[in-house]
Amino acid sequence: MKRPILLFAALAMILTCAMETYAQEAPAIPASFYDKELIADILGNENCTGLRVYPTLDLKKAQLSLMIIGVDESGAELYNWTNPKLKYQLYEGITDGKADIEPLSANNARKLCQAYSTAHVAFNSVIAKDKISDCSGDCTGYSIRLTTKGTNFNFEIVPAKIVNNAVEIIGTPVAGDPCPTFCGDSGNYLCTP
């Protein structure tokens, strides 16, 4: 009788340690800001049904960040190397009241995504187009930020504006669908968790 109890206790300890290790692997990724015009351009693509958000790590700058790209109904990324607005959009900070966004090729975006995934827990989120709040009034764009609930990592989007080179939230956040948890065909991802 003692063996099943000991086995159960050992299994519980292993799972607890694994969950604590997993929870510690996602660092504090800084929130990003994307101008409402860029978000409107991405979501304005007739095939776009949402935004995929990836965490990134630039090893040369030792900098964590986020990048976004539009996705279609099947979850495939709407990348087009000839159109800067349909490339991966890397957030690099705020300068003079404007978001610094670098359009990336798939190859460069993959390197940043894989660098993050090698050092930390791999994950991403898709935020459905119909869940993204209208950006009106004082809103000049959207902040995308990391959320955690236990050992689950996700991204949320919220209307915002830039004041004195800082992001000020002015709306209600909406969470995306995290992967892992809600993952589709692995061929639809730049980096798969």
Side-chain angles (χ1 to χ4, degrees):
M1 282 295 215
K2 289 185 180 181
R3 285 187 186 190
I5 292 171
L6 290 174
L7 181 60
F8 178 74
L11 181 59
M13 284 177 39
I14 291 169
L15 288 174
T16 301
C17 289
M19 290 169 85
E20 287 173 0
T21 299
Y22 182 77
Q24 294 171 1
E25 289 184 23
I29 301 167
S32 65
F33 182 86
Y34 291 88
D35 295 326
K36 66 181 180 180
E37 293 82 14
L38 177 60
I39 298 292
D41 285 343
I42 294 168
L43 296 176
N45 180 309
E46 66 183 82
N47 297 319
C48 187
T49 61
L51 298 174
R52 178 162 292 133
V53 185
Y54 287 105
T56 63
L57 172 59
D58 186 329
L59 294 171
K60 291 178 185 172
K61 297 178 185 176
Q63 179 178 337
L64 292 166
S65 191
L66 302 176
M67 69 180 169
I68 62 172
I69 190 156
V71 295
D72 68 14
E73 189 175 338
S74 72
E77 296 172 353
L78 299 171
Y79 174 77
N80 181 331
W81 65 275
T82 63
N83 183 342
K85 293 179 181 173
L86 293 179
K87 290 185 173 186
Y88 294 88
Q89 305 294 323
L90 176 69
Y91 173 76
E92 294 196 312
I94 296 172
T95 306
D96 297 328
K98 295 275 187 188
D100 293 329
I101 307 296
E102 182 181 352
L104 297 175
S105 68
N107 188 46
N108 288 338
R110 185 175 293 106
K111 287 177 186 175
L112 295 176
C113 185
Q114 287 174 339
Y116 178 88
S117 298
T118 299
H120 307 289
V121 173
F123 71 101
N124 63 71
S125 296
V126 171
I127 303 169
K129 179 180 184 175
D130 60 353
K131 290 184 179 180
I132 298 173
S133 303
D134 183 37
C135 186
S136 57
D138 287 343
C139 178
T140 58
Y142 296 90
S143 179
I144 299 176
R145 54 195 185 177
L146 176 70
T147 63
T148 59
K149 188 173 184 180
T151 58
N152 297 318
F153 307 108
N154 197 2
F155 290 108
E156 64 184 14
I157 190 167
V158 60
K161 64 181 179 178
I162 297 175
V163 177
N164 298 323
N165 281 334
V167 176
E168 182 179 308
I169 304 302
I170 59 173
T172 304
V174 175
D177 293 323
C179 175
T181 302
F182 301 101
C183 298
D185 179 359
S186 63
N188 288 339
Y189 296 87
L190 179 73
C191 297
T192 52

